[in-house]
Each structure stands twice: as structure tokens, then as C-alpha cells.
Coordinates of all heavy atoms in Angstrom, one line a residue:
M1 N 23.3 18.9 14.2 CA 23.5 19.2 12.7 C 22.6 18.1 12.0 O 22.4 17.1 12.6 CB 24.9 19.1 12.1 CG 25.8 20.0 12.7 SD 25.7 21.6 12.0 CE 26.6 21.6 10.6
V2 N 21.8 18.7 10.9 CA 20.9 17.8 10.3 C 21.3 17.8 8.9 O 21.9 18.7 8.2 CB 19.5 18.3 10.4 CG1 18.5 17.5 9.6 CG2 19.1 18.6 11.8
T3 N 21.1 16.7 8.2 CA 21.4 16.4 6.8 C 20.1 16.8 5.9 O 19.1 16.2 6.2 CB 21.8 15.0 6.4 OG1 23.0 14.7 7.2 CG2 22.2 14.8 5.0
Y4 N 20.4 17.7 5.0 CA 19.2 18.3 4.3 C 19.6 17.8 2.8 O 20.8 17.8 2.3 CB 19.0 19.7 4.1 CG 18.6 20.2 5.5 CD1 19.4 20.7 6.5 CD2 17.3 20.1 6.1 CE1 19.1 21.2 7.8 CE2 16.8 20.5 7.2 CZ 17.7 21.0 8.1 OH 17.3 21.6 9.3
S5 N 18.7 17.2 1.9 CA 18.9 16.9 0.6 C 18.5 18.0 -0.5 O 17.4 18.6 -0.2 CB 18.1 15.7 0.3 OG 18.5 14.6 1.0
Y6 N 19.3 18.3 -1.3 CA 19.0 19.1 -2.5 C 19.1 18.4 -3.9 O 19.8 17.4 -4.0 CB 19.9 20.3 -2.5 CG 19.7 21.2 -1.3 CD1 20.2 21.0 0.0 CD2 18.8 22.3 -1.4 CE1 19.9 21.7 0.9 CE2 18.6 23.0 -0.3 CZ 19.2 22.7 0.8 OH 18.8 23.6 2.1
R7 N 18.5 18.8 -4.9 CA 18.5 18.2 -6.1 C 18.9 19.4 -7.2 O 18.2 20.2 -7.5 CB 17.2 17.7 -6.6 CG 17.3 17.1 -8.1 CD 16.1 16.2 -8.4 NE 16.4 14.9 -7.4 CZ 15.3 14.1 -7.4 NH1 14.2 14.2 -7.8 NH2 15.5 13.0 -6.6
C8 N 20.1 19.1 -7.9 CA 20.5 20.0 -8.9 C 20.0 19.4 -10.3 O 20.1 18.2 -10.5 CB 22.1 20.0 -8.9 SG 22.7 20.9 -10.5
R9 N 19.5 20.3 -11.1 CA 19.0 19.6 -12.4 C 20.1 19.2 -13.2 O 19.8 18.4 -14.1 CB 18.3 20.8 -13.1 CG 16.9 21.3 -12.5 CD 16.3 22.4 -13.3 NE 15.0 22.8 -12.7 CZ 13.9 22.6 -13.2 NH1 13.7 22.1 -14.4 NH2 12.8 23.0 -12.6
E10 N 21.3 19.6 -13.1 CA 22.4 19.1 -14.0 C 23.2 18.0 -13.3 O 23.4 16.9 -13.9 CB 23.3 20.3 -14.3 CG 22.8 21.4 -14.9 CD 22.1 21.0 -16.4 OE1 22.7 20.1 -17.1 OE2 21.1 21.5 -16.9
C11 N 23.4 18.1 -12.1 CA 24.2 17.0 -11.4 C 23.5 16.0 -10.5 O 24.2 15.1 -10.2 CB 25.2 17.8 -10.4 SG 26.1 19.2 -11.3
G12 N 22.3 16.3 -10.2 CA 21.6 15.2 -9.4 C 21.5 15.6 -8.0 O 21.5 16.7 -7.5
D13 N 21.3 14.7 -7.1 CA 21.1 14.9 -5.6 C 22.4 15.0 -4.9 O 23.4 14.5 -5.2 CB 20.3 13.7 -5.0 CG 19.0 13.5 -5.7 OD1 18.5 14.4 -6.3 OD2 18.4 12.5 -5.5
F14 N 22.4 15.9 -3.8 CA 23.5 16.1 -3.1 C 22.9 16.4 -1.5 O 21.8 17.0 -1.4 CB 24.5 17.1 -3.6 CG 24.0 18.4 -3.5 CD1 24.2 19.4 -2.6 CD2 23.5 18.9 -4.8 CE1 23.7 20.6 -2.7 CE2 23.0 20.2 -4.8 CZ 23.0 21.1 -3.8
D15 N 23.8 16.2 -0.5 CA 23.3 16.5 0.9 C 24.1 17.7 1.3 O 25.3 17.9 1.1 CB 23.6 15.2 1.8 CG 22.7 14.2 1.4 OD1 21.6 14.4 0.9 OD2 22.9 13.0 1.7
V16 N 23.5 18.4 2.2 CA 24.1 19.6 3.0 C 23.8 19.4 4.4 O 22.7 19.2 4.8 CB 23.7 20.9 2.5 CG1 24.2 22.0 3.3 CG2 23.9 21.1 1.0
R17 N 24.9 19.5 5.3 CA 24.7 19.4 6.7 C 24.6 20.8 7.3 O 25.4 21.7 6.9 CB 25.7 18.7 7.5 CG 25.9 17.3 6.9 CD 26.3 16.1 7.9 NE 26.4 16.3 9.3 CZ 25.4 15.8 10.2 NH1 24.5 15.0 9.5 NH2 25.6 16.0 11.4
A18 N 23.5 21.1 8.0 CA 23.3 22.6 8.6 C 22.6 22.3 10.0 O 22.0 21.2 10.1 CB 22.4 23.3 7.6
P19 N 22.6 23.4 10.8 CA 21.8 23.2 12.0 C 20.3 23.1 11.8 O 19.8 23.5 10.8 CB 22.0 24.7 12.6 CG 23.4 25.1 12.1 CD 23.3 24.7 10.7
M20 N 19.7 22.4 12.6 CA 18.3 22.1 12.5 C 17.4 23.4 12.4 O 17.6 24.3 13.1 CB 17.7 21.2 13.7 CG 16.4 20.7 13.6 SD 15.8 19.9 15.0 CE 16.6 18.4 14.8
G21 N 16.6 23.4 11.4 CA 15.8 24.5 11.1 C 16.4 25.6 10.3 O 15.8 26.6 10.1
R22 N 17.6 25.4 9.8 CA 18.3 26.4 9.1 C 18.4 26.1 7.6 O 19.1 26.9 7.0 CB 19.8 26.6 9.7 CG 19.7 27.1 11.0 CD 19.3 28.5 11.2 NE 19.3 29.0 12.5 CZ 20.1 29.9 13.0 NH1 21.1 30.4 12.2 NH2 20.1 30.3 14.2
A23 N 17.7 25.1 7.1 CA 17.8 24.7 5.8 C 17.1 25.8 5.0 O 16.1 26.3 5.4 CB 17.1 23.4 5.5
T24 N 17.7 26.1 3.7 CA 17.1 27.1 3.1 C 16.3 26.4 1.8 O 16.6 25.2 1.5 CB 18.2 28.1 2.2 OG1 19.1 27.2 1.6 CG2 18.9 28.9 3.4
A25 N 15.4 27.0 1.0 CA 14.6 26.4 0.1 C 15.6 26.0 -1.2 O 15.2 25.1 -1.8 CB 13.5 27.2 -0.3
R26 N 16.6 26.8 -1.3 CA 17.5 26.6 -2.5 C 18.9 26.7 -2.0 O 19.1 27.4 -1.0 CB 17.2 27.6 -3.7 CG 15.8 27.6 -4.1 CD 15.7 28.3 -5.4 NE 16.3 27.5 -6.5 CZ 15.7 26.5 -7.2 NH1 14.4 26.0 -6.7 NH2 16.2 25.8 -8.2
C27 N 19.8 26.1 -2.5 CA 21.1 26.1 -2.2 C 22.1 25.9 -3.6 O 21.6 25.3 -4.5 CB 21.4 24.8 -1.3 SG 23.1 24.5 -0.9
S28 N 23.2 26.3 -3.4 CA 24.2 26.3 -4.6 C 24.8 24.9 -4.7 O 25.1 24.3 -3.7 CB 25.3 27.3 -4.5 OG 24.8 28.5 -4.6
C29 N 24.7 24.3 -5.9 CA 25.2 23.1 -6.2 C 26.8 23.0 -5.9 O 27.5 24.0 -6.4 CB 24.9 22.6 -7.5 SG 25.7 21.0 -8.2
P30 N 27.4 22.1 -5.2 CA 28.8 22.1 -4.9 C 29.6 21.9 -6.2 O 30.8 22.1 -6.2 CB 28.9 21.0 -3.9 CG 27.8 20.2 -3.9 CD 26.5 21.0 -4.5
R31 N 29.0 21.2 -7.2 CA 29.8 20.9 -8.5 C 29.6 21.9 -9.4 O 30.7 22.4 -10.0 CB 29.2 19.5 -9.0 CG 29.7 18.3 -8.1 CD 29.1 17.1 -8.6 NE 28.5 16.3 -7.5 CZ 27.4 15.6 -7.6 NH1 26.8 15.5 -8.6 NH2 26.9 15.0 -6.4
C32 N 28.6 22.5 -9.7 CA 28.4 23.4 -10.9 C 28.1 24.8 -10.4 O 28.1 25.8 -11.1 CB 27.5 22.9 -11.8 SG 25.7 23.0 -11.4
G33 N 27.5 25.0 -9.2 CA 27.2 26.2 -8.7 C 25.8 26.7 -9.0 O 25.5 27.8 -8.5
A34 N 25.1 26.0 -9.7 CA 23.6 26.4 -10.1 C 22.8 26.1 -8.8 O 23.1 25.5 -7.8 CB 23.1 25.3 -11.1
S35 N 21.7 26.9 -8.9 CA 20.8 26.8 -7.7 C 20.0 25.5 -7.8 O 19.4 25.1 -8.8 CB 19.7 28.0 -8.0 OG 18.8 28.1 -6.9
A36 N 19.9 24.9 -6.6 CA 19.3 23.5 -6.5 C 18.2 23.6 -5.5 O 18.4 24.3 -4.5 CB 20.4 22.5 -6.0
A37 N 17.2 23.0 -5.7 CA 15.9 23.0 -4.8 C 16.1 22.0 -3.7 O 16.6 20.9 -4.0 CB 14.6 22.7 -5.8
R38 N 15.5 22.3 -2.7 CA 15.5 21.3 -1.6 C 14.6 20.1 -1.8 O 13.5 20.3 -2.4 CB 15.2 22.1 -0.3 CG 15.2 21.1 1.0 CD 14.8 21.9 2.2 NE 14.8 20.8 3.4 CZ 14.2 21.3 4.5 NH1 13.7 22.3 4.8 NH2 14.1 20.2 5.3
R39 N 15.1 19.0 -1.5 CA 14.1 17.8 -1.4 C 13.6 17.4 -0.1 O 14.4 17.5 0.9 CB 14.9 16.5 -2.1 CG 15.4 16.7 -3.5 CD 16.3 15.4 -3.8 NE 15.4 14.1 -3.6 CZ 15.9 13.1 -3.2 NH1 16.9 13.0 -2.7 NH2 15.1 12.1 -3.0
F40 N 12.5 17.0 0.1 CA 12.0 16.5 1.2 C 11.9 14.8 1.2 O 11.2 14.4 0.4 CB 10.5 17.1 1.5 CG 10.7 18.5 1.8 CD1 10.5 19.4 0.6 CD2 10.9 19.0 3.0 CE1 10.7 20.8 0.9 CE2 10.9 20.6 3.2 CZ 10.9 21.4 2.2
T41 N 12.6 14.3 2.2 CA 12.7 13.0 2.2 C 12.2 12.4 3.5 O 12.0 13.1 4.6 CB 14.2 12.6 2.1 OG1 14.9 13.1 3.1 CG2 14.6 12.8 0.6
V42 N 12.0 11.1 3.6 CA 11.6 10.5 4.7 C 12.7 10.4 5.8 O 13.8 9.9 5.6 CB 11.0 9.0 4.6 CG1 10.6 8.3 6.0 CG2 10.0 9.0 3.5
P43 N 12.5 11.0 7.1 CA 13.5 11.1 8.0 C 13.9 9.8 8.8 O 12.8 8.9 9.0 CB 13.2 12.2 8.8 CG 11.7 12.2 8.9 CD 11.4 11.7 7.5
L44 N 15.1 9.5 9.0 CA 15.6 8.4 9.8 C 15.1 7.0 9.4 O 15.2 6.0 10.1 CB 15.1 8.5 11.2 CG 15.6 9.8 11.8 CD1 15.1 9.9 13.3 CD2 17.1 9.8 12.0
V45 N 14.7 6.8 8.0 CA 14.4 5.6 7.5 C 15.6 4.7 7.5 O 15.4 3.4 7.6 CB 13.5 5.6 6.3 CG1 13.2 4.3 5.7 CG2 12.3 6.3 6.4
R46 N 16.8 5.2 7.3 CA 17.9 4.3 7.1 C 18.2 3.5 8.3 O 18.9 2.6 8.2 CB 19.1 5.1 6.6 CG 19.1 5.5 5.2 CD 20.4 6.1 4.8 NE 20.3 6.6 3.5 CZ 20.6 6.0 2.4 NH1 20.9 4.7 2.4 NH2 20.4 6.6 1.1
R47 N 17.8 4.0 9.4 CA 18.0 3.2 10.8 C 17.2 2.1 10.9 O 17.3 1.4 11.7 CB 18.0 4.2 11.8 CG 19.0 5.2 11.8 CD 19.0 6.1 13.1 NE 20.0 7.1 13.1 CZ 20.1 8.1 13.9 NH1 19.3 8.2 14.8 NH2 21.1 9.0 13.8
G48 N 15.9 2.0 10.0 CA 15.0 1.0 10.2 C 15.3 -0.3 9.5 O 16.5 -0.5 9.2
D49 N 14.3 -0.9 9.2 CA 14.3 -2.2 8.6 C 14.8 -1.9 7.0 O 14.4 -1.0 6.4 CB 13.0 -2.8 8.5 CG 12.8 -4.2 7.9 OD1 13.9 -4.6 7.3 OD2 11.8 -4.7 8.1
P50 N 15.9 -2.7 6.7 CA 16.4 -2.5 5.3 C 15.4 -2.8 4.3 O 15.3 -2.2 3.1 CB 17.5 -3.6 5.3 CG 17.9 -3.9 6.7 CD 16.7 -3.6 7.4
A51 N 14.5 -3.7 4.5 CA 13.3 -3.9 3.5 C 12.5 -2.6 3.4 O 12.1 -2.4 2.1 CB 12.4 -5.2 4.0
V52 N 12.3 -1.9 4.5 CA 11.4 -0.9 4.3 C 12.3 0.4 3.5 O 11.7 1.0 2.6 CB 11.1 -0.2 5.7 CG1 10.5 1.2 5.6 CG2 10.3 -1.0 6.5
W53 N 13.5 0.5 3.8 CA 14.3 1.4 3.0 C 14.4 0.9 1.5 O 14.3 2.1 0.7 CB 15.8 1.4 3.6 CG 16.7 2.4 3.0 CD1 17.7 2.3 2.2 CD2 16.4 3.8 2.8 NE1 18.1 3.4 1.7 CE2 17.3 4.4 2.0 CE3 15.4 4.7 3.2 CZ2 17.4 5.8 1.7 CZ3 15.4 6.1 3.1 CH2 16.4 6.5 2.3
R54 N 14.6 -0.3 1.2 CA 14.5 -0.6 -0.3 C 13.2 -0.3 -0.9 O 13.0 0.2 -2.1 CB 14.8 -2.2 -0.4 CG 16.3 -2.4 -0.2 CD 16.4 -3.9 -0.7 NE 15.7 -5.0 0.1 CZ 16.2 -5.5 1.3 NH1 17.4 -5.1 1.7 NH2 15.4 -6.4 1.8
A55 N 12.0 -0.3 -0.2 CA 10.7 -0.1 -0.6 C 10.5 1.5 -1.0 O 10.2 1.9 -2.0 CB 9.7 -0.7 0.2
V56 N 11.2 2.2 0.0 CA 11.1 3.7 -0.2 C 12.1 4.0 -1.3 O 11.6 5.0 -2.2 CB 11.8 4.5 1.2 CG1 11.9 5.9 0.9 CG2 10.6 4.2 2.2
E57 N 13.1 3.5 -1.5 CA 14.1 3.9 -2.6 C 13.4 3.4 -3.9 O 13.5 4.2 -4.9 CB 15.4 3.1 -2.5 CG 16.4 3.7 -1.5 CD 17.8 3.0 -1.5 OE1 17.7 1.8 -1.8 OE2 18.7 3.7 -1.2
S58 N 12.8 2.3 -3.9 CA 12.0 1.9 -5.1 C 11.0 2.9 -5.5 O 10.7 3.1 -6.7 CB 11.5 0.4 -4.9 OG 10.7 0.1 -6.1
A59 N 10.2 3.4 -4.5 CA 9.2 4.3 -4.8 C 9.7 5.6 -5.3 O 9.1 6.3 -6.3 CB 8.3 4.5 -3.4
E60 N 10.8 6.0 -4.8 CA 11.4 7.2 -5.3 C 11.8 7.1 -6.7 O 11.7 8.0 -7.5 CB 12.6 7.7 -4.4 CG 12.1 8.2 -3.1 CD 13.4 8.7 -2.3 OE1 14.5 8.4 -2.7 OE2 13.2 9.3 -1.2
R61 N 12.4 6.0 -7.0 CA 12.9 5.7 -8.4 C 11.7 5.7 -9.4 O 11.6 6.3 -10.5 CB 13.7 4.4 -8.5 CG 15.1 4.5 -8.2 CD 15.9 3.3 -8.7 NE 15.3 2.1 -8.2 CZ 15.4 1.5 -7.0 NH1 16.3 2.1 -6.1 NH2 14.8 0.3 -6.7
S62 N 10.6 5.0 -9.0 CA 9.4 4.8 -9.8 C 8.7 6.1 -10.0 O 7.8 6.2 -11.0 CB 8.6 3.7 -9.4 OG 7.8 4.1 -8.1
A63 N 8.9 7.1 -9.1 CA 8.1 8.3 -9.2 C 8.6 9.1 -10.5 O 7.8 9.8 -11.1 CB 8.4 9.2 -8.2
E64 N 9.9 8.9 -11.0 CA 10.4 9.5 -12.1 C 10.4 8.6 -13.3 O 10.4 9.1 -14.4 CB 11.8 10.2 -11.8 CG 11.6 11.4 -10.8 CD 13.1 12.0 -10.5 OE1 13.9 11.6 -11.1 OE2 13.1 12.6 -9.5
R65 N 10.7 7.3 -13.1 CA 11.0 6.5 -14.2 C 10.2 5.2 -13.9 O 10.8 4.2 -13.4 CB 12.5 6.0 -14.3 CG 13.2 7.3 -15.3 CD 14.6 6.9 -15.4 NE 15.3 7.6 -14.2 CZ 16.4 7.1 -13.5 NH1 16.8 6.0 -13.8 NH2 16.9 7.8 -12.5
P66 N 8.9 5.3 -14.1 CA 8.1 4.0 -13.7 C 8.6 2.7 -14.5 O 8.9 2.9 -15.7 CB 6.8 4.4 -14.0 CG 6.7 5.7 -14.6 CD 8.1 6.3 -14.5
E67 N 8.5 1.6 -13.8 CA 8.8 0.4 -14.6 C 7.7 0.1 -15.5 O 6.5 0.2 -15.1 CB 9.1 -0.7 -13.6 CG 10.3 -0.6 -12.8 CD 10.5 -1.7 -12.0 OE1 10.1 -2.9 -12.3 OE2 11.2 -1.6 -11.0
V68 N 8.0 -0.4 -16.8 CA 7.0 -0.7 -17.7 C 7.1 -2.2 -17.9 O 8.1 -2.8 -18.2 CB 7.2 -0.1 -19.2 CG1 6.2 -0.5 -20.0 CG2 7.2 1.5 -19.0
V69 N 5.9 -2.8 -17.7 CA 5.9 -4.4 -17.7 C 5.0 -4.6 -18.9 O 4.0 -4.1 -19.3 CB 5.4 -5.0 -16.5 CG1 6.4 -4.7 -15.4 CG2 4.1 -4.4 -16.1
S70 N 5.1 -5.9 -19.4 CA 4.2 -6.3 -20.5 C 3.4 -7.4 -20.2 O 2.6 -8.0 -20.9 CB 5.0 -6.7 -21.7 OG 6.0 -7.8 -21.4
G71 N 3.4 -7.9 -18.9 CA 2.6 -9.0 -18.5 C 2.8 -9.2 -17.0 O 3.5 -8.5 -16.3
P72 N 2.1 -10.3 -16.5 CA 2.3 -10.5 -15.0 C 3.7 -11.1 -14.7 O 4.3 -11.7 -15.7 CB 1.1 -11.5 -14.8 CG 0.9 -12.3 -16.1 CD 1.3 -11.2 -17.1
P73 N 4.1 -11.0 -13.5 CA 5.3 -11.5 -13.2 C 5.4 -13.1 -13.3 O 4.4 -13.7 -13.0 CB 5.6 -11.1 -11.7 CG 4.2 -10.8 -11.3 CD 3.5 -10.4 -12.4
P74 N 6.5 -13.8 -13.6 CA 6.5 -15.1 -13.8 C 6.4 -15.7 -12.4 O 6.8 -15.2 -11.5 CB 7.9 -15.5 -14.4 CG 8.9 -14.3 -13.9 CD 7.8 -13.1 -14.0
G75 N 5.8 -16.9 -12.4 CA 5.6 -17.7 -11.1 C 4.6 -18.7 -11.2 O 3.8 -18.6 -12.1
P76 N 4.6 -19.6 -10.3 CA 3.7 -20.7 -10.2 C 2.3 -20.2 -9.7 O 2.2 -19.2 -9.1 CB 4.3 -21.7 -9.3 CG 5.1 -20.9 -8.4 CD 5.7 -19.7 -9.3
G77 N 1.3 -21.0 -10.0 CA 0.0 -20.6 -9.4 C -1.0 -20.1 -10.3 O -0.6 -19.5 -11.4
A78 N -2.1 -20.0 -9.9 CA -3.2 -19.4 -10.8 C -3.1 -18.0 -10.8 O -2.7 -17.3 -9.7 CB -4.6 -19.9 -10.5
V79 N -3.7 -17.2 -11.6 CA -3.7 -15.8 -11.7 C -4.9 -15.3 -10.8 O -6.1 -15.8 -11.0 CB -3.9 -15.2 -13.2 CG1 -4.2 -13.7 -13.2 CG2 -2.8 -15.6 -14.1
R80 N -4.5 -14.4 -9.9 CA -5.8 -14.0 -9.1 C -6.5 -12.9 -9.7 O -6.0 -12.2 -10.5 CB -5.0 -13.3 -7.9 CG -4.3 -14.1 -7.0 CD -3.7 -13.5 -5.7 NE -4.5 -12.2 -5.5 CZ -3.9 -11.2 -4.7 NH1 -2.7 -11.5 -4.1 NH2 -4.4 -10.2 -4.3
V81 N -7.8 -13.0 -9.4 CA -8.8 -12.2 -10.2 C -9.3 -11.3 -9.0 O -9.8 -11.7 -8.0 CB -9.9 -13.0 -10.7 CG1 -10.9 -12.0 -11.4 CG2 -9.4 -13.9 -11.8
S82 N -9.3 -10.0 -9.3 CA -9.7 -9.0 -8.2 C -11.3 -8.8 -8.4 O -11.7 -9.0 -9.5 CB -9.0 -7.7 -8.5 OG -9.7 -6.7 -7.8
R83 N -11.9 -8.7 -7.3 CA -13.4 -8.4 -7.3 C -13.7 -6.9 -7.2 O -14.8 -6.6 -7.1 CB -14.0 -9.2 -6.2 CG -13.7 -10.7 -6.4 CD -14.5 -11.6 -5.2 NE -14.2 -13.0 -5.3 CZ -14.7 -13.8 -6.0 NH1 -15.6 -13.5 -6.9 NH2 -14.2 -15.1 -6.0
D84 N -12.7 -6.2 -7.1 CA -12.9 -4.6 -7.0 C -13.4 -4.2 -8.4 O -12.7 -4.3 -9.3 CB -11.6 -4.0 -6.6 CG -11.8 -2.4 -6.3 OD1 -12.6 -1.9 -6.8 OD2 -10.9 -2.1 -5.4
P85 N -14.5 -3.6 -8.4 CA -15.2 -3.0 -9.6 C -14.3 -2.0 -10.3 O -14.3 -1.9 -11.5 CB -16.5 -2.4 -9.2 CG -16.5 -2.3 -7.8 CD -15.4 -3.2 -7.2
R86 N -13.5 -1.3 -9.6 CA -12.6 -0.3 -10.2 C -11.6 -1.0 -11.1 O -11.1 -0.4 -12.1 CB -11.9 0.6 -9.1 CG -12.9 1.5 -8.3 CD -12.1 2.1 -7.2 NE -11.7 1.0 -6.3 CZ -11.1 1.3 -5.2 NH1 -10.7 2.6 -4.9 NH2 -10.6 0.3 -4.3
H87 N -11.2 -2.1 -10.7 CA -10.1 -2.8 -11.5 C -10.6 -3.2 -12.9 O -9.9 -3.4 -13.8 CB -9.6 -4.1 -10.8 CG -8.9 -3.6 -9.6 ND1 -8.4 -4.6 -8.6 CD2 -8.4 -2.5 -9.1 CE1 -7.9 -3.9 -7.6 NE2 -7.8 -2.7 -7.9
A88 N -12.0 -3.5 -13.0 CA -12.5 -3.9 -14.3 C -12.4 -2.7 -15.3 O -12.5 -3.0 -16.5 CB -14.1 -4.2 -14.1
R89 N -12.3 -1.4 -14.9 CA -12.1 -0.3 -15.8 C -10.6 -0.2 -16.3 O -10.4 0.6 -17.1 CB -12.7 0.8 -15.2 CG -14.1 0.9 -14.9 CD -14.6 2.3 -14.5 NE -13.9 2.9 -13.5 CZ -14.3 3.1 -12.3 NH1 -15.6 2.6 -12.0 NH2 -13.7 3.7 -11.4
L90 N -9.8 -0.9 -15.8 CA -8.3 -0.9 -16.2 C -8.0 -1.3 -17.7 O -8.9 -2.3 -18.0 CB -7.4 -1.4 -15.2 CG -7.4 -0.9 -13.9 CD1 -6.6 -1.9 -12.8 CD2 -6.8 0.5 -13.9
P91 N -7.2 -0.8 -18.3 CA -6.8 -1.3 -19.7 C -6.3 -2.8 -19.7 O -5.7 -3.1 -18.8 CB -5.8 -0.4 -20.3 CG -5.3 0.4 -19.1 CD -6.4 0.3 -18.0
R92 N -6.8 -3.5 -20.6 CA -6.3 -4.9 -20.7 C -5.3 -5.0 -21.8 O -5.4 -4.4 -22.9 CB -7.5 -5.8 -20.9 CG -8.7 -5.8 -19.9 CD -8.2 -6.4 -18.7 NE -9.2 -6.3 -17.6 CZ -8.9 -6.2 -16.3 NH1 -7.5 -6.3 -16.1 NH2 -9.8 -6.0 -15.4
P93 N -4.4 -6.1 -21.7 CA -3.4 -6.1 -22.8 C -4.1 -6.9 -24.0 O -5.1 -7.5 -24.0 CB -2.5 -7.2 -22.2 CG -3.0 -7.9 -21.0 CD -4.2 -6.8 -20.6
Ligands
ZN1 ZN1 25.0 21.0 -10.2

């Protein structure tokens, strides 16, 4: 059995266990019964390094709700200046 992830537009994410290769593109939401689309996730990352898993979760969250910052993060030291010419075209505060 394999765990497949689906996303309901109303209720959010849920998992369904099914035989390998038997996942359908859409599935009924167990809470509201609406049709939910299958999500494709990174397999077996939870068994790996917790730092890697936190980075994957952060990337998933930022895909839909990117963090907005107003300046560089606080910390000691000088501000690093990039020499990449593409960075010169980025908007400045
Ligand atoms: Zn639902």
C-alpha cells in the first residue's frame, strides 16, 4: 500500500492509502465529498534528515503564500554584495 496525497479546494489536503499504481487523478474528499485533485509530493523524504524535510515544507508553503520581507535579516557582519550582473537588475528598496 502507498499513501497518495489529494487536495480538496474547501477542506485542504488529505491522504489516501491504495495499492501502488492504483491512484486516480481525482478522489472524493472524505469530509465534504467534493472532487479533489491528486498532489504530487516528494516520496520518502520524511525518513531522511529533518532539516531537509523542514526545507521541503517551507518551499511548499512559500509556493502559495510567499513570505514578504522589508529588509535584510538581522545579524552581525557586513552586507554581502553580489557580483552577479543579473542581481543588479533586481528592484531596490
Ligand atoms: Zn472537502
Side-chain angles (χ1 to χ4, degrees):
M1 297 292 268
V2 181
T3 302
Y4 297 100
S5 295
Y6 291 86
R7 176 167 292 166
C8 173
R9 288 180 181 251
E10 300 299 322
C11 308
D13 297 342
F14 63 91
D15 294 334
V16 172
R17 298 210 21 104
M20 184 177 286
R22 298 294 181 104
T24 56
R26 302 197 71 83
C27 178
S28 293
C29 173
R31 287 180 226 141
C32 71
S35 179
R38 183 175 169 196
R39 292 179 60 225
F40 291 90
T41 58
V42 180
L44 302 178
V45 171
R46 282 193 190 271
R47 292 185 183 170
D49 185 352
V52 172
W53 182 243
R54 283 193 297 274
V56 169
E57 286 183 330
S58 174
E60 285 183 354
R61 279 193 307 273
S62 68
E64 295 180 10
R65 279 178 268 141
E67 292 183 23
V68 177
V69 297
S70 58
V79 175
R80 288 180 27 196
V81 177
S82 172
R83 297 182 191 279
D84 189 326
R86 294 173 296 179
H87 294 167
R89 294 194 306 257
L90 293 173
R92 301 286 176 215

